[in-house]
Structures are given as structure tokens and as C-alpha cells.
């Protein structure tokens, strides 16, 4: 498979081989609110390599991105469009099978006021500003802009095969290089699968796309899907050299970008099952409010038919209208041992009576806040509400639907899906029961609902990832979990879990494990009154920046004037060209200040960066914009080498001066932003009691991971130097434990007490230059008697080969900043010693890596075994 070939290239040249190829120019032309994730950079880097470095690229080129629902496929499309623009492409066709998805995508690509608009407000390549334009055909396409035609695949087929006036025709493609972008591309694969039931209709669609694609050898077809059946041999063969990036739901979940999934079954009538889900949803809202998170959780009630959906909608409204305390008491009595019990425990703890809770539910789930949605009950207003469920002013809490939302529905605040029917449509194939289309469709819907609701409790947390997998008792897990409510039907539960496991959104099995502090360790001085020193992250005051040079901003620039040269060619004579008069070229240096304050100020006024309050954040010592313009430390010291016709260099026009000034100040702003961080880690490390940082904790691990991460060679329960009862970790972390077990006797010769603790998200430290959060895997404490320095604190971070740079080391890898921090810490740390008279020292060590073990061992011996 193509993606496996690219995986091998990555293994050979380093983990950042593809991510390092992502152009800043592309990133800066995307909406800055959508920060690219590592896997998205990987996808974009592979795309760039395919067209700019891969020797076996195809003509015409067809590529497929297999990416999980919610992983940001549309942002990848936008970035690909920008990359292809740089390669000379101007004309794009976006097609999908659903009108709803077309409208949503059109808004995301064309409407700068949309919350999900994908591009920067201004798109620039060099000094050229370009627009995103929509067209019905390419006859009047702008040669300088990005032209996109949005259509359904059915609509594309009709347009081309039954053309109308001014509509798109096959002739439009004869002399044009076209990019075709297919979303939900699995709809194109019906013929390839060999599905004869729909073959005639689908064949015409697929052949239409194929005919357009093959009309020019420079054309490109980009396919995006979360669903591709690689178990089908026909599909696998067709896409063997086309799948450039594989990032499925399983990997998406393992990387913590999705909600977790819980399946709740209840032997209740549909309306009571709905009530149970409402109680859980309201509890979730209260937990979010407790932590000052703005969240309005939404429920989806799914019925088998339009008729049943209307009946369930009416029954639900009636139930809510006449809700009684006895209804809640009945559910409470059945909830023991479930997450529903947590909701009732919360009500009790907060002294919320059932009567008051009922009033709250009746208000939040009033008729105007519930939506009945199907082909018979849909209008423009409902569509608008449906596409804005996360907005502050949208009060919809419950949606009753049949199948309309199975595809193309992007919602982050869906937390409960309630199945209000109890049927199965699977069948036995070759003696094995295979889930039917209904169950697989439900699994896909759950996959859509599993999109993570982003939040953070502080600036350090990654708002787009789950945070509490290692803390199973944390009440905020309710905001990281999607619940699927169904009837009590063991066969169906087994079937849906099988389907969810197959698509990768549910781990095959998981174990909940307890990591506890050993009782013996609790008797030690380390535990009773020992401390750990950790630093804080603060806003970067940039007090050391007194000039552009301090901010690592260049002071010299080059600019080329347009010559105004015109060439004329005689059309009927291949050889004859009327030569223009010779243009004498030259160069001349100017200071930016030579253009005058008014010109420079006009350039500054065009960029938000140069508002005084923003400018002061990056250059805190300036007293005015006037000083920033005139001072040699800032813009006054900038030189521009201008090249162009000699007769123009001495007579620059005001518009030319403004163009050059704008070019310079845009570069200055960009470099100032990139080269200085918004945060820094403090040099001051403050003491915190060890027993207040490390606690007993329940952790949840996939059963496969338990097998892989369980340490086999060393029984840590018996080791007095290991402070906890359990350890689960990567191969490299296990290698470190094995190493330390063999090294421990050397330590005993110098140290009376020693302890190693596994850091399961108990604490973070922050690198000095950018304030990036870092959770060292281990903390080691060593104690010496009768010595100037009596206690040593060591952060230890094992790191596998996957993270190495091209030289097989870590200095230039994407994780290199962590090692740099560990090595810098020893010299830069200032310890806050508001504690008795103890002497502490923080030791810095390089990463532990099995292949570089000797370097780690030498550093360890030099720092803690030499006579200090």
C-alpha cells in the first residue's frame, strides 16, 4: 500500500521527515483558529512529498486520504487546495453525494463570517492577494484566483451528460487542468466492490468522474473518506497505490482526539429510556457548569421509521410535561453501579430535590427546545439550527430523527444517542453472524458523535484531547464520554459492540487498574515530609527584547521593482519577435525611514499587529508607534535593497514606496510572532509536598495495551526503591526499569534512601523558552547523609527510536526541546527553599534510549556517583 511505503520512508529518515515539509506559507493562509495537529501535518507533508519529491507519482494522479470522522478532513482539503495553487492549478470541483454536505462545505470554503471558515481572512502568495471564487463552469474562471465548483456527484453527472445553456460540459475539460475533490468517497466505490444491485446508477456516476479525470494527464483526483472496506479484495487492489494517508477511527481514539464510548442498556420502555438519557445529560451540563465550561449537551433520539419518530416525539413531550418525582425515584432505584447513579449522587450531594430537578428538566426540554427531523419534517430554519448546535444562542437539546443525520453531520456537543427500537437485521454468513446494514449505520453514527468537545481547565491542557483516561474517577469524564442507550438485548449489545470494535471506536476490551502508593513507602521521610520542586508557566514579558535584533528579526530586505517591459510577438512568424528597448537595471539601498513617516505609518495601519497595545506585547520597551518607526533599534534601522530599471530607482513613486514598506512590515510582524513565544517557563521551582502531588489513581487501559505494557522481567512489588504497586509503560520505559534494576546497587553505595515514582499525569514542568508543558515519565529522589547536598531530584524521560532525528539522536527531533529542558534545568533552576535547612539539587539527564544507553549511564554516573 502507498501509505505503507511512505511509512517506511518516515522510518528511514526520521519521525519529522514529512511534518517538516509543511510550508509556513500554506499554514499562514489557513484560519489561525484551526491549529494544525501533528497527524494533519503528517498528511500535508506526505501530500507535498508526493508531488514534489516522490519519483513514482502517477499522471493523472489519484490519491485517497482515509481519515476518521472528526479528524479535520476539510481542513486538509483547504490546505491541499492552497498547495496545488502554488503548483499552478486554479480550477477545482468539489463533489459529494449529499446536498446538505455541499451547503455546509460551501459555507466553510466561501463565507468568511462562518465560524468554521477554513482560510485566513486574506490569502496571499508573496505579494499577490488571491480570492476563493465559486463558479458554475470554468469558462469565465479567474486565472489568478482559486475557482471552485460545488456539486453533488449526481448533479455533476446530470450537468455533463444532459447539458444546459451556460452549464458545465465535457468540452470545458479538454484544455484545462482540473482538481477533483471527492468527499465521502466510499460512495464512488460501489462498482469496485462489485455490488450489482446499484451498479447501473452508480456506474454512470463513477464513469462520469473517471471520464473527467482522464481528460487531461495533469488532472488530480483527491478522495476523502472515513470508510473504506480494505477487506474487499477489489477495493484493496484498486487503492493499493492511492491511499497516501491512513488515520482511522481506532488511531483517532488512541490518540485521544475522540470521546470515549459507553453502551448503556436498560430494560425500560422507550420513553423511560429517553428519560434516563435526559437525566445523564443534565448531570453532564451541571458538571460542566461547575468547572465554568460553556456546554449545552445535545441528545439524539433515533427511531426506525418516520411514523415511530413522531410517536416517540409526542410521547417524550407528554412525559416531560407530566414528569413526577416517582419517575425519577424509579430510575434511581435501578441505577446502582452505573454512571446514572453518579448523577443521582450528585443531586444528593448538592441538595437538589427531585421537584426542583424536574422543573429544570421541563424548562431545558420544553417543546421549543426539541426538534423533530426527517424528510417530512424539515425546513430551512431547522437546517440552520441543526448546523449551529454549538452556538451560544441555539437552545436545542433534543433531536428526534430516523436516518437524516447518518452522514455529513458535524456536531461536537452530542453526548447521548438513544435507540428507541429493538430490532436486528444481521444474518449468518458462512456460519458466522454478520451485523446488518442498520447496525453498521448506527456504528457509523456513533463514530460521528464521538467527535471530542474541546475544553481546557487551564492554558496548559490540550483542549482537543481527552484528559482523564488515567483518572477513571474524575467527574469530568462525563464531558469526555458519548453514551449509546439501547434496550436490554444481549444479542444486539454484542452486535453493536462488535460493529464499534470493527470500525475502531471501541476498544476490544479494557481493564481498569489501580495504581497505589505502597504502604511501606508511606512510612518513609520522603512521603511524610518530602517535597518535589516544579516550575510554573507565565506570560512571556519579553523584557529582554530592546530591538528587532533581540527578536531575531532581519534588518535587511531585498525588493524587485516591476520593469514595465512589454514584449510583442508576430503571431504568424514563429521566429520573429519584436525586441523591446534595452532596460538598464541597477540596485540601490534605502533605509525604510527614507520613505517618510507617513508612508510607513500607512503600511502599519493595514496590519492589526501594529496596533500599539499589540505591538507593546512583542516590543515592551517602546513608548510610541512613532518611536518604533524612527528608532534605529526598530524600523528606523531597516535597509531595503531595491533592484529594477535604473531610471526608476531615483524616482520611486509613493505607491511603490508603500508597496515596499508593506512588504517589510509584514515580514517583521511574521518573524516577531514566530520567533518569540507567548509563554515561558519560570526559572523558579517551587516546593510541593510529595504526598499532595502523587496519589492513588484508577487508570483505564485497552486490554491489548495491558499485555504490551506489563513489565515482565522485574517484580516491582518487591522492590523497595519503586514507590507504587503497579507499572504499565512503553517498551522504552520497560527498558529503563530493567536498566535501573541492574544499576541500583551502585546507588546504594552512596545513598541511604532512594525512590522512583511513575508520573501518571500527576505533575507538569514547563520549558524555559516557550512554556511548553512536559510530563516527565519518572521522578527519582535520592538522599545522602552528612553531605552538603542531601537530596537530589531527577526527572527521567525514556524515549523510543520513533522520536529520533535523522542522525539517530534527539537533539534535532520534534521531542528535542524536552531533552534540552532537562539538560538546561540543572544550571538554570532557582529553588525556592522556604523549608527548614535542607539542601536540594535538581539533576538534568538526557533521554533514556536503549541504543544510547551508555550515554545515559555515563551522565548518571558523572552526576550522582562522583564525589560531589
Amino acid at each position: 500500500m502507498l501509505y505503507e511505503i511512505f511509512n517506511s520512508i518516515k522510518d528511514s529518515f526520521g519521525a519529522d521527515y514529512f511534518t517538516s515539509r509543511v510550508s509556513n506559507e500554506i499554514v499562514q493562509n489557513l484560519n489561525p483558529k484551526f491549529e494544525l495537529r501533528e497527524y494533519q501535518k503528517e498528511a500535508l507533508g506526505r501530500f507535498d512529498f508526493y508531488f514534489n519529491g516522490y519519483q513514482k507519482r502517477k499522471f493523472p494522479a489519484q490519491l485517497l486520504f482515509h481519515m476518521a470522522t472528526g479528524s479535520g478532513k476539510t481542513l486538509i482539503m483547504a490546505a491541499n487546495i492552497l498547495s496545488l495553487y502554488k503548483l499552478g492549478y486554479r480550477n477545482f470541483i468539489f463533489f459529494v453525494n449529499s446536498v446538505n454536505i455541499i451547503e455546509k462545505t460551501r459555507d466553510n470554503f466561501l463565507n468568511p463570517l462562518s465560524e468554521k471558515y477554513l482560510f485566513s481572512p486574506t490569502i496571499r502568495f508573496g505579494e499577490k492577494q488571491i480570492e476563493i471564487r465559486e463558479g458554475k463552469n470554468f469558462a469565465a474562471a479567474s486565472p489568478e484566483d482559486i475557482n471552485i465548483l460545488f456539486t453533488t456527484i449526481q448533479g455533476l453527472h446530470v450537468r455533463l451528460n444532459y447539458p444546459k445553456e451556460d452549464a458545465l460540459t465535457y468540452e470545458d475539460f479538454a484544455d484545462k487542468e482540473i482538481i477533483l475533490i471527492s468527499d465521502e468517497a466510499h460512495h464512488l466505490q460501489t462498482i469496485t466492490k462489485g455490488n450489482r444491485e446499484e451498479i447501473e446508477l452508480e456506474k454512470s456516476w463513477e464513469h462520469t468522474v473517471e471520464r473527467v479525470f482522464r481528460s487531461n494527464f495533469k488532472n488530480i483526483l483527491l478522495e476523502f473518506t472515513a470508510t473504506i472496506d480494505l477487506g474487499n479484495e477489489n477495493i484493496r487492489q484498486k487503492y493499493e497505490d492511492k491511499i497516501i494517508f491512513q488515520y482511522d477511527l481506532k488511531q483517532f481514539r488512541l490518540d485521544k482526539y475522540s470521546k470515549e464510548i459507553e453502551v448503556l442498556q436498560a430494560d425500560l420502555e422507550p420513553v423511560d429510556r429517553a428519560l434516563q438519557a435526559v437525566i445523564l445529560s443534565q448531570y453532564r451540563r451541571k458538571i460542566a457548569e461547575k468547572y465554568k465550561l460553556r456546554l449545552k449537551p445535545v441528545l439524539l433520539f433515533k427511531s426506525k421509521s418516520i411514523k415511530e419518530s413522531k410517536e416517540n416525539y409526542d410521547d417524550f413531550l407528554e412525559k416531560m410535561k407530566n414528569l413526577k418525582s416517582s419517575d425519577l425515584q424509579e430510575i434511581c432505584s435501578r441505577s446502582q453501579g452505573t454512571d446514572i447513579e453518579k448523577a443521582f449522587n450528585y443531586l444528593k450531594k448538592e441538595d437538589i430535590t427531585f421537584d426542583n430537578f424536574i422543573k429544570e428538566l421541563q424548562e431545558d426540554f420544553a417543546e421549543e427546545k426539541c426538534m423533530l427531523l426527517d424528510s417530512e419534517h424539515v425546513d430551512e430554519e431547522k437546517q440552520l439550527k441543526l448546523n449551529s448546535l454549538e452556538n451560544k444562542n441555539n437552545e436545542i437539546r433534543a433531536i428526534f430523527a430516523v436516518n437524516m443525520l447518518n452522514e455529513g453531520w458535524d456536531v461536537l456537543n452530542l453526548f447521548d444517542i438513544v435507540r428507541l427500537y429493538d430490532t436486528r437485521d444481521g444474518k449468518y454468513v458462512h456460519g458466522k453472524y454478520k451485523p446488518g446494514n442498520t447496525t453498521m449505520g448506527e456504528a457509523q453514527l456513533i463514530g460521528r458523535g464521538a467527535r471530542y468537545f474541546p475544553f481546557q481547565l487551564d492554558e496548559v491542557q490540550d483542549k482537543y484531547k481527552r484528559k482523564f483516561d488515567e483518572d477513571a474517577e474524575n467527574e469530568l469524564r462525563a464531558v469526555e464520554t458519548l453514551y449509546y442507550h439501547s434496550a436490554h438485548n444481549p444479542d444486539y449489545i454484542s452486535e453493536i459492540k462488535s460493529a464499534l470494535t470493527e470500525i475502531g471506536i471501541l476498544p476490544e476490551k479494557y481493564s481498569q487498574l489501580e495504581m497505589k502508593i505502597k504502604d511501606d513507602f508511606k512510612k518513609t521521610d520522603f512521603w511524610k515530609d518530602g517535597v518535589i520542586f516544579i516550575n510554573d508557566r507565565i506570560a512571556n514579558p519579553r523584557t529582554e527584547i530592546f530591538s528587532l535584533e533581540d527578536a531575531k528579526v532581519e534588518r535587511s530586505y531585498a525588493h524587485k521593482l516591476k520593469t514595465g517591459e512589454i514584449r510583442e510577438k508576430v503571431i504568424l512568424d514563429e521566429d520573429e519577435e519584436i525586441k523591446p528597448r534595452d532596460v538598464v537595471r541597477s540596485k540601490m539601498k534605502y533605509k525604510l525611514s527614507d520613505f517618510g513617516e507617513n508612508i510607513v505609518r500607512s503600511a502599519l495601519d493595514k496590519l492589526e499587529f501594529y496596533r500599539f497595545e499589540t505591538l507593546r506585547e512583542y516590543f515592551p520597551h517602546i513608548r510610541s508607534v512613532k518611536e518604533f518607526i524612527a528608532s534605529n533599534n526598530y524600523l528606523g534601522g531597516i535597509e531595503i535593497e531595491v533592484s529594477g530599471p535604473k531610471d526608476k530607482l531615483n524616482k520611486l513613486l509613493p505607491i511603490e514606496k508603500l508597496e515596499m514598506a508593506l512588504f517589510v512590515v509584514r515580514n517583521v510582524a511574521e518573524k516577531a510572532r514566530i520567533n518569540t513565544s507567548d509563554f515561558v517557563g519560570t526559572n523558579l521551582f517551587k516546593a510541593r509536598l510529595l504526598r499532595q502531588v502523587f496519589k492513588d489513581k484508577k487508570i483505564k487501559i485497552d486490554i491489548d495495551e495491558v499485555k504490551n505494557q506489563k513489565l515482565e522481567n522485574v517484580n516491582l512489588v518487591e522492590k523497595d526503591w519503586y514507590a507504587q504497586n503497579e507499572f504499565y509503560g512503553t517498551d522504552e520505559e520497560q527498558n529503563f526499569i530493567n536498566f535501573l534494576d541492574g544499576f541500583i546497587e551502585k546507588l546504594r553505595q552512596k545513598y541511604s534512601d532512594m525512590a522512583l515514582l511513575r508520573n501518571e499525569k500527576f505533575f507538569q514542568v514547563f520549558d524555559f523558552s516557550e512554556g511548553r508543558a512536559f510530563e516527565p515519565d519518572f521522578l527519582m529522589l535520592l538522599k545522602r547523609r552528612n553531605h552538603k547536598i542531601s537530596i537530589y531530584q531527577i526527572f527521567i524521560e525514556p524515549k523510543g527510536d520513533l522520536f529520533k532525528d535523522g542522525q539517530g539522536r534527539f537533539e534535532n527531533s520534534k521531542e528535542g526541546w524536552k531533552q534540552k529542558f532537562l539538560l538546561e534545568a540543572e544550571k538554570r533552576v532557582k529553588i525556592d527553599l522556604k523549608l527548614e535547612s535542607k539542601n536540594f539539587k535538581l539533576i538534568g539527564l538526557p533521554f533514556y534510549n536503549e541504543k544510547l544507553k551508555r550515554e545515559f549511564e555515563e551522565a548518571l554516573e558523572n552526576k550522582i556517583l562522583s564525589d560531589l
Side-chain angles (χ1 to χ4, degrees), residues 393-407:
N393 298 324
N394 186 318
E395 295 190 330
I396 297 296
R397 287 293 303 276
I399 299 168
F400 291 77
V402 182
N403 290 319
M404 280 194 71
L405 304 179
N406 285 10
E407 281 189 346

Side-chain angles (χ1 to χ4, degrees), residues 264-277 279 319 327-335 340 344 418-422 485-489:
L264 290 178
Q265 51 182 319
D267 190 13
L268 296 170
E269 292 297 317
V271 70
D272 292 317
R273 204 153 64 240
L275 175 58
Q276 180 175 274
I279 293 167
K319 182 76 172 183
D327 296 322
L328 299 189
Q329 187 59 53
E330 177 66 21
I331 291 176
C332 180
S333 67
R334 295 168 173 257
S335 67
I340 304 293
F344 285 108
V418 188
R419 189 180 196 255
L420 296 175
Y421 50 95
D422 188 22
H485 305 256
S486 77
H488 179 67
N489 181 333

Side-chain angles (χ1 to χ4, degrees), residues 173 193 242 262 306 377 409 497 623 709:
F173 302 109
K193 286 181 181 179
K242 298 175 179 64
E262 294 285 353
I306 293 175
H377 302 90
W409 187 37
K497 284 187 174 181
R623 289 163 293 187
Q709 295 186 17

Side-chain angles (χ1 to χ4, degrees), residues 548-738:
L548 294 183
E549 190 174 1
D550 292 336
K552 301 175 185 174
V553 176
E554 293 91 342
R555 297 165 64 92
S556 298
Y557 295 87
H559 186 81
K560 192 174 182 180
L561 288 177
K562 294 181 176 65
T563 64
E565 180 179 303
I566 299 173
R567 288 183 178 269
E568 182 178 330
K569 188 172 179 70
V570 179
I571 293 176
L572 297 180
D573 191 332
E574 292 184 3
D575 299 321
E576 185 174 345
E577 181 176 315
I578 300 174
K579 295 184 178 180
R581 63 183 178 86
D582 289 334
V583 176
V584 180
R585 299 174 182 274
S586 186
K587 294 180 180 179
M588 182 175 290
K589 285 189 177 180
Y590 285 92
K591 279 203 160 191
L592 185 62
S593 55
D594 293 341
F595 295 162
E597 183 181 340
N598 288 342
I599 291 285
V600 177
R601 193 175 283 271
S602 294
L604 298 183
D605 287 345
K606 294 180 182 297
L607 301 174
E608 286 288 318
F609 179 85
Y610 293 103
R611 295 170 67 96
F612 184 63
E613 57 270 24
T614 303
L615 196 57
R616 276 286 294 268
E617 290 178 17
Y618 291 87
F619 302 98
H621 299 290
I622 62 168
R623 289 163 293 187
S624 65
V625 175
K626 185 180 180 72
E627 178 192 354
F628 187 74
I629 293 172
S631 171
N632 282 330
N633 287 328
Y634 300 106
L635 297 184
I638 283 182
E639 285 189 344
I640 312 171
E641 183 179 78
V642 186
S643 59
K646 188 173 183 179
D647 60 344
K648 294 182 71 175
L649 290 178
N650 289 312
K651 297 180 290 186
L652 294 176
L653 299 173
I655 189 66
E656 292 171 327
K657 292 178 181 179
L658 178 60
E659 182 182 345
M660 283 186 274
L662 192 57
F663 164 73
V664 168
V665 300
R666 185 175 283 116
N667 272 279
V668 169
E670 179 184 324
K671 293 296 183 184
R673 280 197 180 102
I674 291 172
N675 295 339
T676 62
S677 169
D678 290 335
F679 297 96
V680 293
T682 60
N683 289 338
L684 181 65
F685 277 54
K686 295 180 180 178
R688 291 181 61 189
L689 286 170
L690 193 71
R691 54 187 160 83
Q692 291 180 349
V693 175
F694 287 87
K695 302 177 184 299
D696 293 345
K697 196 174 206 179
K698 290 182 180 178
I699 57 176
K700 192 174 175 181
I701 304 179
D702 288 8
I703 197 73
D704 288 342
E705 294 299 311
V706 172
K707 295 173 187 174
N708 295 334
Q709 295 186 17
K710 183 70 173 175
L711 186 66
E712 298 292 341
N713 299 336
V714 182
N715 185 357
L716 289 176
V717 173
E718 297 176 354
K719 303 296 180 180
D720 60 353
W721 49 266
Y722 189 69
Q724 290 140 314
N725 69 323
E726 288 281 7
F727 168 79
Y728 294 91
T730 64
D731 290 345
E732 210 63 41
E733 290 163 354
Q734 293 182 39
N735 289 338
F736 166 70
I737 294 290
N738 288 322

Side-chain angles (χ1 to χ4, degrees), residues 368-401:
E368 64 273 13
K369 296 177 184 177
C370 299
M371 180 189 292
L372 179 63
L373 185 73
D374 53 59
S375 58
E376 294 179 8
H377 302 90
V378 62
D379 54 39
E380 187 176 349
E381 183 182 357
K382 284 186 177 181
Q383 288 285 5
L384 289 172
K385 287 182 178 179
L386 189 66
N387 292 328
S388 62
L389 286 168
E390 297 144 32
N391 290 3
K392 185 189 296 186
N393 298 324
N394 186 318
E395 295 190 330
I396 297 296
R397 287 293 303 276
I399 299 168
F400 291 77

